[in-house]
Amino acid sequence: MKKILVADDEMSIRLLYSEELKDEGYEVLTAADGREALDIVEKNPLDLVILDIKMPEMSGIEVLRQIKEKNPNLPVLLSSAYSEYKQDFGTWASEEYLVKSSDLEDLKAAVKRHLQD
Amino acid sequence: MSWKKKNSACSLIPAVRGQYHRPNFQTLASFAVADDNFLYGVLLLVDKKRRKLDTATLKLIKLACLMLAGTIRQALRHDETKKRIAELSGLYEIGMATSATMELDALLERILSTAAKVINARGAILRIIDEQTGMPRVASEYGEVSETSACLLTSNLETAVVSGELPFVATTLPDHQGHLHSYLGVPLNFKGHLKGMLCVFDKMSETLEFQEFDAENRQLLFTMAGMISSSIENALTFRELETLAEKNERMVRVLTVLQEISWALMTTVRMEKILDIILNALTLESGLAYDRAVVLLVNEDRHVLKAVKGVFRKPSPPTLPLREALMVPVEVRTESEIEKLLSQLQITLQEDKGILARTVLQKKTFHIAQAEQDARVNQELRRAYDLQEFVSVPLIVKDQVTGVIVVDNQQSKRAIRDEDVQILNMFANQAVLAIENSRLYSTIEANNRELSLIRERMLESDRLAALSGLAQGMAHEIRNPLTSIGGFARRISKKVGKNSPLRHDVEVITQEVERLEKLLREVLDFSGVNLGYYEEHDLNQIIEDALTLIKRDLVASNIKVAKDFALLPNVHCDDRQIKQVFYNLFQNARQAMDKGGTLTIRTYPMEKSDGLYAAAAVSDTGGGIPLELLHNIFNPFFTTKEFGTGLGLSIAERIVSRHYGQIEIINELGKGVTFIVTLPIAKYCLIKSTEDQEAQT
């Protein structure tokens, strides 16, 4: 079973993403801030990470940088409420930049795409 | 005296003479007829017989001789007195003549006729020479004088005056071709200076025979010359004063007119009004009264002189004072061919392009008396405008020629005097100040407009920046809860069965969340346009990109796309913003054609007055916009759609205007709407922004 980490400071988002991804048949871990996310990445073998950008303790961008330093092959998706950062970070290190939307089809499609590789 | 003696001798001597050969008298007595001073003659007494005169007889005869001498003396005195009286009466008449009038011509005529009459001459000539020019200043004649004679006399006189020699009393004429028999000339001295001569010619006897002038005539003429010279001088001075006074009066009138014009010019700073006042002033009967007047202004950039406005003379409105008449707007009647031509009159500023170009280049007024014979005149223009005599005056301010005024009297043919040219120059000085004022004023006005435009734009970008900051903050705060609300609603919707009563409720939540998310996207994109990045782009490519974004929606709504793209020069723009413009327009068209239709996109180059533009026309077949809504469509947050934000067209309009472009709308009720977007092509856009910068500085 593929293992996915969802890092977001919003509890409702963590809940939504993990419920939805579990329904798709994945194992989901969650983190409420950037530091916790890095801890989990270090301690667990993961198949994919979904990162919010604006988080307490450590921003998603910093988490992304450190993950890619140690595990350059671990796919990371950025998921943010900020559409305007897409221009800056859309092609930077992360596999994809997704603007948050209640329609999770795009997100699920992206997860599926990167776990197949 | 002598002829009297001769006469008395003649009656006696022949009788005596006849008898000398055969003396038949025995007695001869001779007596002197004399008084104490003078011997008048001799009295001879003859007798055939021999006789002796007694003492008493001798005494008697001596007494008779004495009485005879007295009688002769009386007679001689009488003659003398008669002559003197004649002379005196001649002088009296001259005197009368000199004081009769101050009018020079009448005075000279009287003097000359009197002089001729007194001396019994056939005629008289008077010349006064101007020392500076050597030409006759005054020339007057009486009696029949042939031209050659007059010339001869005049040239003799000129020589005498110039050489300073006293003139001549010539009783025989050097040249007999002149039909003059004899003449007598005396100098005319003004204040001790020889200035001219008085001359009488051809003295006639009572029996109309030519006679020589004698010393008495000469004396008389000298006396006359002395008498008349001062009165002639007075009359000359008087005439000059009169001329001066007339000139002064004209000057005063002109100055009054100029003052009125100046007053009128001060009432306005509007160029159009100033031009009207200038043209009125030049052509009004109560103004400077020229037949035609044209104002041309210099365009520095293009080095040309261009006609701005011209007018033909019109009669002054009879009841209107000049001041008000000046303010009446000039209506250019275009029915006249010449005035039609005027609107196209444009002269390149090169010396060989005619007088008007020279006026500008040499900063000089030109008064052309005969345009046809003047090599400097542009003959093409002369023919086109029927120029004869004209004046071309530069409008100079700060040593720069800003324009030219041209006037002529084409119809009335009234000659233009040097004095008129002077007045024109004075007028031009006033006119140019008014024109310059107006120019400065409009520059200030334009700068003000530009400034307020810039301020408006700055305010707008401030507003947008604030909106942007607010929106970004909101996005994070709202997007997260929206995502989870919507996400969970979708989950519920999947879990409840198709027939569950909950299903409809959950779908409402899902839809409302979608609507809010869409609003968020549009608001964020609107605020995001501040991050402009301008480069040269192909408008056709941008439109293609925008079309790709919406292609799926169009297909879903059963809308066909018709494209007609022309090859376009690049436009200077932020391609993302322009893509947004067309995306919004396409969205708008799609929503207008919810039951299907055709979206037509046509691009083409377009020339406007200020440069070349790339144009794109986007047409739908959605039936058009109801008239009552038309004026609102570019207003933010105005929408007719259930799910619209009302920002689409407003955003498009702002982006385009920020690119110095325009959006026009052609609304055909019952058919559809065409939006025409025009954007300046790159080259002109750069020029525009440079102009802006110049205007700001």
Side-chain angles (χ1 to χ4, degrees):
Chain A
M1 193 184 281
K2 302 275 183 181
K3 210 182 268 183
I4 297 175
L5 169 67
V6 174
D8 200 306
D9 59 336
E10 291 272 341
M11 186 272 283
S12 60
I13 296 291
R14 290 200 300 276
L15 194 59
L16 176 68
Y17 280 14
S18 51
E19 290 291 305
E20 198 71 11
L21 290 169
K22 280 174 191 165
D23 285 357
E24 295 293 311
Y26 305 117
E27 188 185 340
V28 183
L29 305 177
T30 60
D33 62 60
R35 199 163 298 284
E36 195 187 345
L38 268 184
D39 278 352
I40 293 172
V41 172
E42 270 170 36
K43 288 169 190 161
N44 301 279
L46 293 171
D47 297 295
L48 187 132
V49 179
I50 298 172
L51 283 176
D52 185 17
I53 291 178
K54 203 179 162 198
M55 286 188 293
E57 302 295 328
M58 191 186 281
S59 83
I61 298 301
E62 182 57 24
V63 177
L64 168 66
R65 198 182 61 77
Q66 295 197 21
I67 289 174
K68 285 293 178 183
E69 235 173 55
K70 290 170 187 163
N71 308 300
N73 293 324
L74 177 59
V76 180
L77 305 181
L78 288 174
S79 157
S80 171
Y82 288 85
S83 58
E84 51 278 26
Y85 294 157
K86 191 170 179 176
Q87 214 86 31
D88 302 320
F89 302 116
T91 53
W92 183 80
S94 75
E95 270 58 42
E96 263 180 69
Y97 187 110
L98 299 151
V99 178
K100 280 177 186 168
S101 163
S102 61
D103 185 350
L104 296 183
E105 294 310 313
D106 283 352
L107 179 75
K108 288 189 286 190
V111 168
K112 204 171 171 186
R113 224 171 13 248
H114 293 288
L115 284 178
Q116 275 169 359
D117 296 337
Chain B
M1 182 155 69
S2 59
W3 64 266
K4 273 279 178 197
K5 259 199 283 190
K6 237 193 241 169
N7 273 1
S8 63
C10 278
S11 64
L12 186 68
I13 287 170
V16 176
R17 227 179 239 167
Q19 295 178 19
Y20 272 139
H21 303 288
R22 290 179 281 124
N24 54 357
F25 59 82
Q26 302 207 342
T27 309
L28 177 75
S30 155
F31 299 92
V33 181
D35 57 17
D36 293 346
N37 302 316
F38 208 79
L39 174 69
Y40 296 99
V42 174
L43 177 69
L44 289 179
L45 291 179
V46 182
D47 205 331
K48 286 179 182 171
K49 289 177 275 178
R50 192 181 179 92
R51 65 185 288 180
K52 195 175 168 145
L53 295 175
D54 56 23
T55 319
T57 311
L58 273 175
K59 235 179 189 172
L60 197 65
I61 291 172
K62 274 182 189 169
L63 189 64
C65 276
L66 209 58
M67 285 173 70
L68 186 59
T71 311
I72 291 171
R73 191 176 64 221
Q74 288 299 329
L76 287 177
R77 289 241 172 98
H78 176 73
D79 277 358
E80 190 75 12
T81 311
K82 250 173 86 181
K83 228 159 86 183
R84 286 281 165 259
I85 287 174
E87 275 178 23
L88 280 174
S89 70
L91 290 175
Y92 170 76
E93 274 181 50
I94 290 280
M96 287 293 282
T98 57
S99 55
T101 175
M102 283 296 263
E103 216 280 294
L104 188 66
D105 293 335
L107 175 72
L108 291 176
E109 201 189 312
R110 280 195 72 165
I111 286 174
L112 290 179
S113 64
T114 312
K117 205 174 80 190
V118 169
I119 296 184
N120 288 326
R122 199 159 60 85
I125 295 179
L126 184 136
R127 291 280 186 279
I128 293 169
I129 301 293
D130 190 315
E131 277 176 303
Q132 274 156 1
T133 61
M135 298 294 286
R137 186 159 135 224
V138 175
S140 185
E141 278 142 28
Y142 168 76
E144 274 175 43
V145 188
S146 73
E147 207 173 310
T148 37
S149 319
C151 279
L152 185 71
L153 284 177
T154 309
S155 72
N156 280 357
L157 166 74
E158 280 166 20
T159 328
V161 170
V162 171
S163 67
E165 282 168 25
L166 263 182
F168 40 84
V169 179
T171 49
T172 49
L173 210 63
D175 180 2
H176 283 284
Q177 287 175 332
H179 309 298
L180 285 187
H181 181 258
S182 63
Y183 74 95
L184 172 63
V186 291
L188 281 174
N189 291 320
F190 297 152
K191 291 176 189 148
H193 291 283
L194 175 62
K195 290 282 172 63
M197 69 149 193
L198 172 63
C199 178
V200 288
F201 59 87
D202 291 356
K203 183 175 171 183
M204 310 293 276
S205 70
E206 278 163 19
T207 52
L208 293 181
E209 279 161 21
F210 289 121
Q211 289 185 314
E212 302 289 297
F213 290 103
D214 58 25
E216 282 178 37
N217 296 144
R218 186 177 162 183
Q219 190 53 47
L220 185 59
L221 205 58
F222 261 113
T223 316
M224 282 182 185
M227 284 172 72
I228 63 174
S229 63
S230 67
S231 59
I232 290 178
E233 191 171 18
N234 280 347
L236 269 174
T237 315
F238 181 71
R239 188 160 87 169
E240 272 159 20
L241 273 178
E242 254 187 344
T243 320
L244 268 179
E246 248 171 56
K247 210 170 162 180
N248 271 350
E249 206 173 299
R250 261 205 314 275
M251 257 350 237
V252 166
R253 203 185 70 84
V254 165
L255 284 176
T256 317
V257 169
L258 284 178
Q259 196 192 3
E260 293 288 296
I261 294 168
S262 161
W263 178 88
L265 283 171
M266 295 228 271
T267 57
T268 179
V269 289
R270 300 274 157 227
M271 187 63 105
E272 192 60 23
K273 276 192 180 173
I274 286 173
L275 289 176
D276 284 357
I277 293 171
I278 289 174
L279 291 172
N280 277 332
L282 289 168
T283 54
L284 278 174
E285 193 78 51
S286 51
L288 301 184
Y290 288 96
D291 283 0
R292 299 189 295 184
V294 180
V295 178
L296 303 97
L297 292 179
V298 173
N299 184 327
E300 287 287 343
D301 298 341
R302 296 182 192 164
H303 295 286
V304 292
L305 187 63
K306 198 173 178 336
V308 190
K309 209 169 186 184
V311 74
F312 276 31
R313 180 167 176 180
K314 50 182 181 182
S316 300
T319 51
L320 232 45
L322 178 60
R323 197 176 267 219
E324 282 160 44
L326 284 171
M327 313 288 272
V328 176
V330 173
E331 282 165 36
V332 177
R333 297 154 297 170
T334 44
E335 68 263 29
S336 139
E337 280 301 317
I338 289 184
E339 293 192 23
K340 245 186 245 171
L341 274 174
L342 189 66
S343 60
Q344 298 150 16
L345 178 56
Q346 188 164 317
I347 298 153
T348 314
L349 289 178
Q350 286 164 4
E351 286 273 345
D352 58 352
K353 296 291 179 192
I355 289 295
L356 301 192
R358 276 173 200 259
T359 307
V360 175
L361 295 171
Q362 300 180 12
K363 302 176 184 172
K364 221 168 80 179
T365 300
F366 284 89
H367 177 193
I368 303 300
Q370 283 180 309
E372 203 169 347
Q373 270 126 53
D374 202 312
R376 297 168 300 176
V377 174
N378 182 334
Q379 293 299 323
E380 210 173 299
L381 280 185
R382 181 191 66 74
R383 277 190 293 278
Y385 297 100
D386 187 22
L387 288 172
Q388 288 142 18
E389 181 181 23
F390 70 94
V391 181
S392 162
V393 190
L395 295 167
I396 303 177
V397 68
K398 287 186 224 139
D399 210 32
Q400 288 281 318
V401 180
T402 61
V404 173
I405 290 179
V406 184
V407 292
D408 75 353
N409 289 323
Q410 181 225 17
Q411 278 166 314
S412 69
K413 310 269 188 263
R414 196 165 50 88
I416 301 173
R417 296 165 300 180
D418 288 349
E419 191 182 310
D420 297 326
V421 178
Q422 264 178 6
I423 293 163
L424 271 176
N425 280 326
M426 281 162 74
F427 170 74
N429 285 342
Q430 285 185 347
V432 73
L433 282 183
I435 290 177
E436 186 61 11
N437 272 349
S438 161
R439 276 196 178 170
L440 288 176
Y441 184 83
S442 58
T443 312
I444 290 172
E445 244 191 0
N447 284 351
N448 265 347
R449 264 201 307 276
E450 189 68 25
L451 275 177
S452 64
L453 205 70
I454 289 166
R455 214 181 60 164
E456 219 168 81
R457 270 192 202 156
M458 281 169 68
L459 279 178
E460 190 196 312
S461 64
D462 278 355
R463 274 202 302 273
L464 286 172
L467 184 55
S468 165
L470 182 70
Q472 280 170 16
M474 266 170 52
H476 199 229
E477 298 309 318
I478 295 175
R479 230 175 210 158
N480 280 323
L482 269 185
T483 303
S484 42
I485 294 168
F488 282 113
R490 280 169 200 267
R491 283 179 62 73
I492 294 168
S493 157
K494 267 187 261 171
K495 279 176 188 162
V496 298
K498 270 192 181 169
N499 300 322
S500 161
L502 280 178
R503 187 173 176 92
H504 175 255
D505 300 357
V506 173
E507 270 174 5
V508 170
I509 298 175
T510 312
Q511 279 170 10
E512 287 303 299
V513 166
E514 263 179 22
R515 194 175 133 195
L516 282 174
E517 285 183 321
K518 190 174 166 219
L519 174 63
L520 269 186
R521 270 201 300 278
E522 285 184 8
V523 170
L524 281 176
D525 290 342
F526 189 11
S527 59
V529 294
N530 268 338
L531 315 158
Y533 186 64
Y534 289 72
E535 267 186 347
E536 286 191 23
H537 292 285
D538 177 11
L539 186 63
N540 289 336
Q541 187 54 50
I542 296 175
I543 292 174
E544 285 286 6
D545 291 350
L547 210 49
T548 318
L549 291 178
I550 200 169
K551 209 162 236 168
R552 227 157 13 123
D553 293 347
L554 292 177
V555 172
S557 306
N558 195 22
I559 293 169
K560 278 179 278 182
V561 176
K563 285 186 288 185
D564 175 13
F565 286 1
L567 201 63
L568 292 175
N570 280 348
V571 292
H572 191 252
C573 68
D574 178 347
D575 57 334
R576 285 173 308 168
Q577 292 185 37
I578 299 300
K579 199 191 294 176
Q580 175 89 48
V581 169
F582 285 98
Y583 179 82
N584 290 4
L585 289 180
F586 297 157
Q587 266 306 351
N588 213 67
R590 186 185 67 82
Q591 283 153 358
M593 300 185 283
D594 50 1
K595 294 183 181 76
T598 308
L599 173 68
T600 311
I601 309 156
R602 197 164 76 83
T603 65
Y604 51 96
M606 185 192 216
E607 204 176 336
K608 293 193 191 181
S609 61
D610 58 345
L612 197 59
Y613 284 72
V618 177
S619 316
D620 65 45
T621 54
I625 302 167
L627 284 180
E628 65 271 22
L629 305 179
L630 197 60
H631 65 280
N632 262 326
I633 60 163
F634 288 116
N635 284 346
F637 302 108
F638 171 82
T639 182
T640 57
K641 287 157 251 169
E642 210 179 327
F643 295 108
T645 58
L647 286 171
L649 286 177
S650 158
I651 293 168
E653 200 260 335
R654 282 177 193 223
I655 292 174
V656 171
S657 82
R658 211 172 287 136
H659 282 78
Y660 300 105
Q662 279 174 331
I663 294 191
E664 284 163 58
I665 177 163
I666 298 170
N667 187 33
E668 289 174 283
L669 274 181
K671 281 184 166 179
V673 180
T674 302
F675 287 94
I676 301 171
V677 176
T678 49
L679 294 167
I681 70 158
K683 198 171 78 180
Y684 293 95
C685 190
L686 282 177
I687 292 169
K688 266 173 194 291
S689 56
T690 326
E691 274 174 5
D692 277 2
Q693 278 164 16
E694 277 170 7
Q696 284 167 37
T697 47

